[in-house]
Every structure is written in structure tokens, then in C-alpha cells.
Amino acid sequence: LKKLLATFRLEADEHLKAMSAGLLELRRVPEEERQTEIVERIFREAHSLKGAARSVNRTDIESVCQSLESVYAALKGKKLIPAPPLLDLLQQTGDALYGLLPREAAGGNAPIAALLRRLDEASKSAAPAGEPPLAPPPEAALPAAAPHGPAATFGARPAAPDWASDTLRVASAKLDAVMRQTEELLAPRLAAGQRVLDLREAGGAVASWKKEHARIRPAVRAAERLLTRLGGESGAGKGKEQQLLAKLLDYLDAESLHLKNVEHRLARLKRFAEHDHRALAGMVDGLLHDVREMHMLPFSSLTDIFPRFVRELARDQDKPVELKIEGGGIEVDRRILEAMKDPLVHLLRNCIDHGIEQPAERARKGKPPQGTISLAMSQIDSGKMEILVADDGAGVDAAQVMAAARKLGLVSAEAAEALGQAEALALVFQSGISTSPMITDVSGHGLGLAIVREKVERLGGTVALETQADAGTAFRIVLPLSIATFRGILVRLGEQVFVLPASGVERVVRLAEQDIRTVENRETVPLDGQPASLVDLGDVLEMPRRGGGRVAGGSLHAVVLGAGAARVAFRVDEVLGEQEVLVKALGRQLARVRNVTGASVLATGRVAVVLNLPDLMKSAARQAAPARAPAAEVPVDAQPRSILVVEDSITSRSLLKNILESAGYRVATAVDGVDAYTMLKSSTFDLVVSDVEMPRMDGFELTSKVRSEARLAELPIVLVTALESREHRERGIDVGANAYIVKSSFDQGNLLEVIGRLI
């Protein structure tokens, strides 16, 4: 609670500053249109502050904001005018709220009670509709509401409370910009290391040159002596050959001195480069560490919002649920926390809606009536962390998942029979797969787990599902600790270099030709006594065929990637080594390229493509899998699908008819359940969209009668209604509806998406 209060104070300070600035602007701006815009802006700030206060049980601040909202609503509706006395009152209210911030909890305060009375009187004095706005009469100034006291002049702030004295507010965008610039320093650090290697290679070349020079010089001396002796024996003088050899010896002597000088200078340059590299590496690594620490937040800063979310959703589902959170003190990169908020919300919603059973069902199974959800975070090693989301519910039925996948055409009947349980359960992460018996505003769309996998893989992580019937389900998410930089394995294919994140590389192996076996038309290699698929990385990336890949003795290089229980060996031409890599995005034009995460500039200045490991695993599976039979083609001249809309309200009926006809459907309408049932018996429809509350026969009765008819038993039915209680949804499931859409959250795209999945 203390952490939440500290966060609330910072947030409230921002809202109050915005409200104060808005009031100051309102005093200066005479134009009526601009005044309306400013009032709307302040109104939003007051509303946001009220919501934040409610979340930390600051009922005193919440009540003041509620009264403020009434006044701003009257101003917005032109029932009050922003006269100076009213603006003075609003200013005093802001000062009083500043004074309330340092408190730990709500408490009685006479000046606040007086302030609330004045605000209520101001809102009640608003002119009735159609009459000119009123200005409230001037009143005496409000006494001080807190030890800090209200500001003496408009727009001034009270003294900063103690809780903010040791902190500095920095915009996250500025912090992210500093982080990006700091990470860019990794490139010159790697380049400095490469310069050291280049100088070492140059020194080695000079040493070889010096050795060759030392070997040749004696041979030239011997040739000179031989020519001198032959010339003396023949009595000839010093010949031309001897003169040339003498010049060559003079050059070799001078070159020897030159080589020593070059060698000395290279040695000095190498020492200086090594010193500069060490200094730069130390500074860059220290700066990166410190800036990353600035980005680190405790895991609890994300999980603090979940207990209330779970409690409210469980209450709506009428399921008592306890949420246990572990590892809240572990610090994580803020960017990862922000990216994981939605996936964790989807998983928690999945646990409550799909996993935890109703109390009666749990009692029948011998379980306690209260379900349990665990959310735990742990650090695996220096580069990876794991988030575990688990429940003690009914578990995931692999057969239901397989049936849903077959219904969507994701797997054929033959492929479904060949899949094991783990492979079948992995299908739950495919878009559109849902085991929910009905589509509602909470679940059944089959998108939640697909979003989880997409977000996790975009961060360079993996997600795996573990389940056991009536014992529960667990989702294990493994993520890197850093987003932009990581350790990468450099591999070569032909003339191109690629980077594989080291966190997903299980091992690098050298394979002999005799180790490669063919099983069911797939190349495999033994790893720890188990066969693993062997694919060519170039084939997966759809690169032209090339030679190479073999080293001395006819062996091959391969990199083994692992995701959960699956392992695939990728054949490459050469493994170049490992280094830290800074990933650069490819731009909006190439925002999502299959098998590719981004690019990186290596220490040599060469650009290397950074590969996406989850995509590689899926691409390898598609390449190794037998070709699926093509889906039956839909005739071009096929008739549009027909839909029956059942709605007693002519406005709603017309709206639904227009939406569906605009989407290309043929639409017929019925005014109630009796009319619809008569039409269904005489005509053929592909789907029914029905209201629930109708005269003569409601939507529940209509659905029940349709399901009792053998000819209509499989007809999809979508209920669109204002009834949003759990009992009504359960009744919709009981009578056999396929989807249940609440009108309060009605969305045209949502309706069309549901219909598209059902027919």
C-alpha cells in the first residue's frame, strides 16, 4: 500500500498541476469555444484523479473530485459561467487537494467538509436547461485545509512534501532516448575491440615478414660470395651482378631497420588501442549498467493492479478465486513490464474464465470451493527470466483443442491423428482456437493466447503450456532480461552473416556424415540419444542453394535451437563466434518479416541480419512437415451467406440489417421469436442473430426450440442483448447459443468477426 500511495502521489501531483494550469488559462481566455475546450481538459484531469484516489482508498480526495466533476459538468453544459468567484473556489479546491496528498489515509477535516458544501452549492446553483447560465455569489475564502496551506496566489503550489524530496520526475520518453543513445555506444566499443584484433593481425604479418627477411638475407650474402670467388678465379673485375647484389644487400640492411621501426610502432599502437579499448569498455559497460538500472522496476509495480482485476472478474463469474503473487521484489526492465501487461491480463482472464470451475463443480471433484491462481517471477540465469501463471482448475482438454483446430482447417484429420498431446496443446496459441462453449465479451474469440504468444515472441521469448486434467494449467514464459542488446551467435551462410540470439541456442555441434539418418523422409541427427530434425538454415530462409558447410573429415557445422521440448538442428557453413549484439529495427516498411527480428552492425562494420528463433522453429516445422492437402476452393460465383435477424426494436433491427448487408450478407428480419421460428421452418439460413427480450417468444426460447429440431440443430445462433449478468450468460450456454454479445459493449467489428468465425 505504501508503494501504491507513493505512485498515487506522483500521479496526483501531475493531475493537480494540469488542473491549475488549466484554471489559469481559463481566466485569461475570453473566447467561448476555447473555454469549452479548457473546461473539458480540466474535467478529464479531475475524473482521472478521482479514479486514482479510489484505487488507494483515499475517499477524502475522491469525494472532493466527485464534487469538482459536478461543477465542471455544469460549466461544460453552459449552466454555469467561469466567473472569478467560481474560479477562486476551484483554485482553493486545488490547493486543498495539494494539502491532502501527504496523508497516508483518508481522515476527517472540517475545512474539507466546508469545501464540499460550497462545491455542491455551486453545482446546484446551475441554471436549468434552456435558461442562461448563472454565476455563483462570491463567498469568503476557505480556511487552510492542511499544514502546507493553500497557495496565496493563483497557480502557486504549496511547498513540496517530504515524500518527493529524494526523487526527480523524468519523462519516460527522455529516459528511453538516453537508453537508446547509451546502447549505441556498444557499436564503438565493439569496433575498438576489432581495431585491437586488426593491430594484432598486422603485428603478426610484420613478424612473418621479418622472419622471411631474416631467411633470405643469408642466401643473398652467399650468392655475393660465390660471384666474388668466381670473378677472382676468372680474373675478371667486379661484375654487374655483384654490383646488383651489393645494392640488394644494402636495401635488405635498410629494410631490416625499417621493419624494426614498423614493429615497434605497431606494438605501441596495439598497447594504446588495448588501453583505450579497456577504458572505453569499462565506461560503456558501467554507463549501460547504470542506465539499465534506471529502467529497472520491481515486478510488483506491474502485479499490484492484478489483485483487484482478478477479484472483480471472479466476482462477475461468481467464482471465489485467490491470487498468489511471488517474486514481486525482482527488478525487471520497465519496457518488458509494459509489454507484458496485456499478455498477463489475457492469461489471468483465461485462468478465471476457462480454468477455475464453478464452486459446485469443484466440490464435486473434491476441491476446495475457492480456486487458486499463482503468478510468480524468477530469474533463471544472468540473461533470462521466467514468469509462471498457473491455476488449479480443470486443465486444458487436448481433444477439444484438436476439434477446434480441425473445425478452422488448421490441421487435417490425418495430421490430427499423428499429433501427440504436447503438439495438440500447442495449437491453443493459434489465432481463432478456443475451447469456450460460447463467444462472450470475456472469452471465446480465440485471440487471447495468440496475443500472448505474439507479444512474448516479439520480445525474443518463448511461452509453453503444461496441463493436467482436473489438476490445473501452467503457462511458462521465458524472456530475456534485456531487449535491445544480447549475446548472439554469429553464423555464416555463403557470403552472408546471420546472428542467432544465444538465449535460444542450446548448443553448437559438429556432425559426421554417418550421424545423419533419414526418418519419415526427414533428416535427423542424434542428440542425447534422441533424434532431432536437421534442416538447412539456408533452405528455411529460402536462400539459393550453395556448396560448403563441410569441414575437414567431411563433417558439418550445426546450431541446435530449443523451444520447450522441441529441438531442431540448423545446418550452417560456419560458426564464427559469439559477441554482444545491438539490435536495430528494420523500419516501418519491414516491421514484420518472417524469420527476421532486425539487423545489427558488427564490429567489422558489416551488417548482419538478426534471426527470430520462434519463427525459425515454425518455419523448420513447416518445411519438414508433409504438404497439407489444399483447401477446397470457393467458387467465384458462390451465393452470399444468409442471416436471419430477430429483433423487436425497429431501430436495432434496421441497424443490424444495415451492418450485415454492408458486409456482404443476405439478411432477412423477424420481429420476435414466433415470427423467426416460422421463417426458419420454411426457409434456409446460415446463421441467426437474435435479441433476448422479445414479446411472444424470447431469444432463449427460440434458441431452445431451434436446438430441438434435428434439421436446425447445428444452425449457429448469436444472442445480442442488454442482459449481461452471469446467470443470463449461463442460460445462453445451456440453451445452446454459440455467442453472447452484450449491447453495452457492442462493436460492429466484434459482431462481424464473430459471425465470420461461425459460418
Side-chain angles (χ1 to χ4, degrees), residues 705-728:
K705 288 185 72 67
V706 168
R707 290 290 175 257
S708 64
E709 292 273 348
R711 184 177 69 86
L712 303 174
E714 299 299 322
L715 179 66
I717 299 178
V718 178
L719 297 179
V720 181
T721 174
L723 303 175
E724 55 182 331
S725 68
R726 182 184 61 81
E727 290 78 12
H728 288 109

Short mmCIF file of all heavy atoms in Angstrom, two decimals, residues 705-728:
data_model
loop_
_atom_site.label_atom_id
_atom_site.label_comp_id
_atom_site.label_asym_id
_atom_site.label_seq_id
_atom_site.Cartn_x
_atom_site.Cartn_y
_atom_site.Cartn_z
N LYS A 705 -35.87 -24.03 -28.96
CA LYS A 705 -36.71 -24.72 -29.95
C LYS A 705 -35.90 -25.07 -31.19
O LYS A 705 -36.09 -26.14 -31.79
CB LYS A 705 -37.91 -23.83 -30.32
CG LYS A 705 -38.96 -23.72 -29.22
CD LYS A 705 -40.16 -22.94 -29.69
CE LYS A 705 -41.03 -23.70 -30.68
NZ LYS A 705 -41.67 -24.87 -30.10
N VAL A 706 -35.00 -24.17 -31.60
CA VAL A 706 -34.17 -24.45 -32.77
C VAL A 706 -33.29 -25.67 -32.52
O VAL A 706 -33.14 -26.54 -33.38
CB VAL A 706 -33.32 -23.21 -33.12
CG1 VAL A 706 -32.24 -23.58 -34.14
CG2 VAL A 706 -34.19 -22.11 -33.67
N ARG A 707 -32.71 -25.75 -31.31
CA ARG A 707 -31.82 -26.88 -30.99
C ARG A 707 -32.59 -28.19 -30.91
O ARG A 707 -32.00 -29.27 -31.06
CB ARG A 707 -31.10 -26.60 -29.67
CG ARG A 707 -30.05 -25.50 -29.78
CD ARG A 707 -28.86 -25.94 -30.61
NE ARG A 707 -27.90 -24.85 -30.81
CZ ARG A 707 -27.79 -24.17 -31.93
NH1 ARG A 707 -28.55 -24.47 -32.98
NH2 ARG A 707 -26.91 -23.19 -32.04
N SER A 708 -33.88 -28.13 -30.64
CA SER A 708 -34.68 -29.36 -30.54
C SER A 708 -35.07 -29.91 -31.92
O SER A 708 -35.52 -31.04 -32.03
CB SER A 708 -35.94 -29.11 -29.71
OG SER A 708 -36.79 -28.17 -30.36
N GLU A 709 -34.92 -29.09 -32.96
CA GLU A 709 -35.23 -29.52 -34.32
C GLU A 709 -33.99 -30.18 -34.94
O GLU A 709 -32.92 -29.58 -34.97
CB GLU A 709 -35.64 -28.32 -35.18
CG GLU A 709 -36.96 -27.70 -34.78
CD GLU A 709 -38.13 -28.39 -35.47
OE1 GLU A 709 -37.88 -29.18 -36.40
OE2 GLU A 709 -39.27 -28.14 -35.06
N ALA A 710 -34.12 -31.38 -35.42
CA ALA A 710 -32.97 -32.11 -35.99
C ALA A 710 -32.37 -31.35 -37.16
O ALA A 710 -31.15 -31.27 -37.31
CB ALA A 710 -33.40 -33.51 -36.42
N ARG A 711 -33.22 -30.75 -38.02
CA ARG A 711 -32.72 -30.06 -39.21
C ARG A 711 -31.97 -28.78 -38.84
O ARG A 711 -31.06 -28.34 -39.57
CB ARG A 711 -33.89 -29.72 -40.14
CG ARG A 711 -33.47 -29.09 -41.45
CD ARG A 711 -34.68 -28.85 -42.35
NE ARG A 711 -35.54 -27.81 -41.81
CZ ARG A 711 -35.35 -26.49 -42.05
NH1 ARG A 711 -34.35 -26.09 -42.80
NH2 ARG A 711 -36.19 -25.61 -41.55
N LEU A 712 -32.30 -28.17 -37.71
CA LEU A 712 -31.72 -26.87 -37.32
C LEU A 712 -30.72 -26.98 -36.18
O LEU A 712 -30.22 -25.96 -35.69
CB LEU A 712 -32.84 -25.90 -36.92
CG LEU A 712 -33.94 -25.65 -37.96
CD1 LEU A 712 -35.04 -24.80 -37.34
CD2 LEU A 712 -33.36 -24.97 -39.19
N ALA A 713 -30.43 -28.20 -35.74
CA ALA A 713 -29.64 -28.37 -34.52
C ALA A 713 -28.25 -27.74 -34.61
O ALA A 713 -27.71 -27.26 -33.60
CB ALA A 713 -29.51 -29.86 -34.19
N GLU A 714 -27.65 -27.71 -35.81
CA GLU A 714 -26.29 -27.17 -35.97
C GLU A 714 -26.28 -25.72 -36.44
O GLU A 714 -25.22 -25.17 -36.73
CB GLU A 714 -25.51 -28.03 -36.97
CG GLU A 714 -25.33 -29.47 -36.55
CD GLU A 714 -24.56 -29.59 -35.24
OE1 GLU A 714 -23.61 -28.80 -35.04
OE2 GLU A 714 -24.91 -30.46 -34.44
N LEU A 715 -27.43 -25.09 -36.54
CA LEU A 715 -27.51 -23.70 -37.02
C LEU A 715 -26.87 -22.76 -35.99
O LEU A 715 -27.29 -22.71 -34.83
CB LEU A 715 -28.97 -23.31 -37.25
CG LEU A 715 -29.22 -21.87 -37.73
CD1 LEU A 715 -28.64 -21.68 -39.13
CD2 LEU A 715 -30.71 -21.56 -37.72
N PRO A 716 -25.84 -21.97 -36.37
CA PRO A 716 -25.22 -21.05 -35.41
C PRO A 716 -26.19 -19.94 -34.99
O PRO A 716 -26.90 -19.37 -35.82
CB PRO A 716 -24.03 -20.46 -36.19
CG PRO A 716 -23.79 -21.41 -37.33
CD PRO A 716 -25.13 -21.98 -37.66
N ILE A 717 -26.19 -19.64 -33.68
CA ILE A 717 -27.07 -18.60 -33.14
C ILE A 717 -26.25 -17.64 -32.30
O ILE A 717 -25.50 -18.06 -31.41
CB ILE A 717 -28.20 -19.21 -32.28
CG1 ILE A 717 -29.06 -20.15 -33.13
CG2 ILE A 717 -29.04 -18.12 -31.65
CD1 ILE A 717 -30.16 -20.84 -32.36
N VAL A 718 -26.38 -16.34 -32.60
CA VAL A 718 -25.69 -15.29 -31.84
C VAL A 718 -26.74 -14.47 -31.12
O VAL A 718 -27.66 -13.94 -31.75
CB VAL A 718 -24.87 -14.37 -32.78
CG1 VAL A 718 -24.21 -13.25 -31.99
CG2 VAL A 718 -23.82 -15.17 -33.54
N LEU A 719 -26.63 -14.38 -29.80
CA LEU A 719 -27.55 -13.58 -29.00
C LEU A 719 -26.92 -12.21 -28.74
O LEU A 719 -25.81 -12.13 -28.22
CB LEU A 719 -27.86 -14.28 -27.67
CG LEU A 719 -28.58 -15.64 -27.77
CD1 LEU A 719 -28.81 -16.23 -26.39
CD2 LEU A 719 -29.90 -15.50 -28.53
N VAL A 720 -27.64 -11.15 -29.12
CA VAL A 720 -27.20 -9.78 -28.88
C VAL A 720 -28.22 -9.15 -27.94
O VAL A 720 -29.37 -8.94 -28.32
CB VAL A 720 -27.09 -8.97 -30.19
CG1 VAL A 720 -26.61 -7.56 -29.92
CG2 VAL A 720 -26.17 -9.66 -31.17
N THR A 721 -27.80 -8.85 -26.71
CA THR A 721 -28.77 -8.46 -25.68
C THR A 721 -28.18 -7.49 -24.68
O THR A 721 -26.95 -7.36 -24.58
CB THR A 721 -29.28 -9.71 -24.94
OG1 THR A 721 -30.12 -9.31 -23.85
CG2 THR A 721 -28.11 -10.51 -24.38
N ALA A 722 -29.06 -6.81 -23.94
CA ALA A 722 -28.62 -5.91 -22.87
C ALA A 722 -28.44 -6.66 -21.56
O ALA A 722 -27.94 -6.10 -20.58
CB ALA A 722 -29.63 -4.78 -22.68
N LEU A 723 -28.83 -7.93 -21.50
CA LEU A 723 -28.71 -8.71 -20.27
C LEU A 723 -27.28 -9.21 -20.13
O LEU A 723 -26.84 -10.06 -20.91
CB LEU A 723 -29.68 -9.90 -20.31
CG LEU A 723 -31.16 -9.54 -20.52
CD1 LEU A 723 -32.00 -10.80 -20.65
CD2 LEU A 723 -31.67 -8.68 -19.36
N GLU A 724 -26.53 -8.70 -19.15
CA GLU A 724 -25.11 -9.02 -19.05
C GLU A 724 -24.73 -9.77 -17.78
O GLU A 724 -23.56 -9.94 -17.49
CB GLU A 724 -24.28 -7.73 -19.14
CG GLU A 724 -24.65 -6.68 -18.14
CD GLU A 724 -23.81 -5.42 -18.34
OE1 GLU A 724 -22.67 -5.54 -18.82
OE2 GLU A 724 -24.31 -4.33 -18.01
N SER A 725 -25.71 -10.25 -17.01
CA SER A 725 -25.37 -10.96 -15.79
C SER A 725 -24.85 -12.35 -16.10
O SER A 725 -25.07 -12.90 -17.18
CB SER A 725 -26.60 -11.07 -14.88
OG SER A 725 -27.57 -11.92 -15.46
N ARG A 726 -24.14 -12.93 -15.11
CA ARG A 726 -23.60 -14.28 -15.30
C ARG A 726 -24.71 -15.29 -15.49
O ARG A 726 -24.58 -16.22 -16.30
CB ARG A 726 -22.76 -14.66 -14.07
CG ARG A 726 -22.11 -16.04 -14.18
CD ARG A 726 -21.39 -16.38 -12.90
NE ARG A 726 -22.30 -16.42 -11.77
CZ ARG A 726 -23.07 -17.47 -11.47
NH1 ARG A 726 -23.03 -18.56 -12.21
NH2 ARG A 726 -23.87 -17.43 -10.43
N GLU A 727 -25.85 -15.13 -14.79
CA GLU A 727 -26.95 -16.08 -14.92
C GLU A 727 -27.50 -16.11 -16.35
O GLU A 727 -27.80 -17.19 -16.89
CB GLU A 727 -28.08 -15.72 -13.96
CG GLU A 727 -27.75 -15.94 -12.48
CD GLU A 727 -26.88 -14.84 -11.90
OE1 GLU A 727 -26.74 -13.79 -12.57
OE2 GLU A 727 -26.35 -15.03 -10.79
N HIS A 728 -27.63 -14.93 -16.97
CA HIS A 728 -28.15 -14.90 -18.33
C HIS A 728 -27.17 -15.53 -19.31
O HIS A 728 -27.57 -16.22 -20.26
CB HIS A 728 -28.46 -13.45 -18.73
CG HIS A 728 -29.67 -12.89 -18.04
ND1 HIS A 728 -29.59 -11.93 -17.07
CD2 HIS A 728 -30.99 -13.18 -18.18
CE1 HIS A 728 -30.81 -11.63 -16.64
NE2 HIS A 728 -31.67 -12.37 -17.29
#
